[in-house]
Amino acid sequence: MHVDFLPDIILGNIFSYLSLQDLRNSSLVCKRWYSILNDEDNDVWRLHCIHKLAEEVLSSDLLSSTPTYKTKLKAFHHAWNPEDCSRNIYIKPNGFTIHRNPVAQSTDAVRGKIGFSHGRHAWEVIWEGPLGTVAVVGIATKEATLQTHGYIALLGSDDQSWGWNLVDNHLLHNGDSQGNYPMLNNAPKYQVGERIRVILDCDDNTLAFERNYEFLGVAFRGLPEKLLYPSVSAVYGHTEVSMVYLEKFFS
C-alpha cells in the first residue's frame, strides 16, 4: 500500500518512532503530514513524552504552563544541562529540577541545555527550597563561572552573566549592583514556590521578568549578540530550583 493511503492513526504510529529532527523534516513533506504533526497533543507527541519524560513529572503540576505534549517535550529539551553545572549540583530524575548539595563555603550555578541568540524566549523558574543569603535568576554565556568559593551572587559577578537576586531585589552584572528591581516602592520579596517568568528578547537585546504573571519591567538592556543561556546560582544546601521553557515567539 502506498503511504498516501495509510490512515492517519497508522502514520501517527510510524511518526512516533522517528527522531525529533526527522519529525521536523517530515512536517515539510506535504500538507497532510504537516497537519498531523501540527497537532501538538496527538499520540505522536504523547508517545515521545512517555519515552523521554519521567512519569512523575507528567503527572505533576510542574509542567502546568506547557499544556500540550509537544510543548512539554520542548521544555524537556531546553531544561537544565547535567553536563553544564557546578560539581555540587545534580539534576533530579524528573529532568527539570536541580538539587544543590550541602557544601559549605561554595556558590554553585547551572546553565540550560540550549542558548539563544535570536528571537524572543520565555521560561519559568521555580525556587522550591530556601533561598539562603543569595539566590540569583538570570542568564549567562558559556564563559560564565559555575562555581566559586564563599557565598556570593555568582550570577552577575562578571561581564558574562546578568542576574536578579531574589533575596534583596538587586540586579547584578559585572560584579556591581545595577539598582533595585522591580522599580516599586517596598517591592515584595520573592516567596518560595512562586513562578518567575524570564523573558529574553534577543532582537531588542533585553531581559525582563514576570512574577505570578505580573510584568515587572525590563531589567537589562544592551545584551551582547551571543548565545545566552538560562541560569541560576545558589548557596543554600538542599535547595532545589526548577526551570520550564515555555516558548519562542516573535513580535
Side-chain angles (χ1 to χ4, degrees):
M1 179 182 291
H2 193 276
V3 67
D4 287 345
F5 297 102
L6 290 176
D8 285 359
I9 191 170
I10 300 299
L11 275 176
N13 190 50
I14 295 171
F15 288 149
S16 69
Y17 290 95
L18 301 183
S19 69
L20 294 181
Q21 182 61 52
D22 287 339
L23 288 175
R24 281 191 286 268
N25 293 337
S26 297
S27 69
L28 302 176
V29 170
C30 63
K31 290 182 178 180
R32 183 185 176 207
W33 288 18
Y34 173 83
S35 177
I36 293 172
L37 294 173
N38 197 46
D39 180 355
E40 298 190 352
D41 223 19
N42 64 18
D43 279 349
V44 176
W45 303 112
R46 182 181 65 83
L47 291 171
H48 271 280
C49 277
I50 290 173
H51 293 153
K52 295 282 188 179
L53 274 63
E55 183 179 350
E56 65 172 281
V57 77
L58 284 174
S59 60
S60 73
D61 64 355
L62 178 61
L63 301 183
S64 60
S65 296
T66 56
T68 68
Y69 288 119
K70 186 176 181 180
T71 54
K72 294 181 196 304
L73 192 65
K74 184 183 295 184
F76 175 75
H77 283 277
H78 285 78
W80 297 128
N81 189 345
E83 305 298 326
D84 198 14
C85 60
S86 164
R87 63 180 180 271
N88 300 320
I89 283 175
Y90 69 86
I91 312 299
K92 297 185 68 176
N94 70 12
F96 293 88
T97 305
I98 63 165
H99 180 100
R100 183 189 177 272
N101 290 322
V103 178
Q105 291 300 316
S106 179
T107 303
D108 306 283
V110 61
R111 277 184 283 260
K113 295 174 185 173
I114 297 177
F116 312 112
S117 61
H118 63 275
R120 302 173 68 200
H121 304 265
W123 59 92
E124 289 183 339
V125 174
I126 308 101
W127 214 285
E128 300 174 274
L131 300 180
T133 54
V134 184
V136 188
V137 175
I139 55 173
T141 70
K142 273 291 187 182
E143 289 73 39
T145 302
L146 295 179
Q147 193 275 329
T148 193
H149 180 74
Y151 302 130
I152 70 167
L154 181 56
L155 195 64
S157 66
D158 55 26
D159 64 353
Q160 299 297 312
S161 57
W162 298 257
W164 172 26
N165 185 2
L166 302 178
V167 176
D168 62 11
N169 279 343
H170 283 175
L171 295 176
L172 305 163
H173 174 60
N174 206 18
D176 294 322
S177 172
Q178 306 294 306
N180 293 331
Y181 184 86
M183 297 294 290
L184 301 171
N185 292 327
N186 300 315
K189 296 293 182 65
Y190 176 81
Q191 300 297 312
V192 170
E194 289 183 318
R195 290 180 181 252
I196 296 291
R197 182 167 295 186
V198 187
I199 305 168
L200 174 62
D201 189 333
C202 296
D203 299 329
D204 285 342
N205 306 108
T206 60
L207 184 70
F209 298 92
E210 293 180 1
R211 180 170 57 200
N212 292 334
Y213 309 106
E214 177 186 0
F215 184 68
L216 302 179
V218 173
F220 295 99
R221 301 180 186 275
L223 298 174
E225 295 183 357
K226 59 193 305 185
L227 282 176
L228 300 170
Y229 294 79
S231 186
V232 298
S233 67
V235 300
Y236 199 92
H238 295 304
T239 198
E240 297 186 340
V241 189
S242 298
M243 189 263 286
V244 179
Y245 180 81
L246 299 178
E247 59 183 330
K248 174 182 178 180
F249 54 98
F250 295 89
S251 56

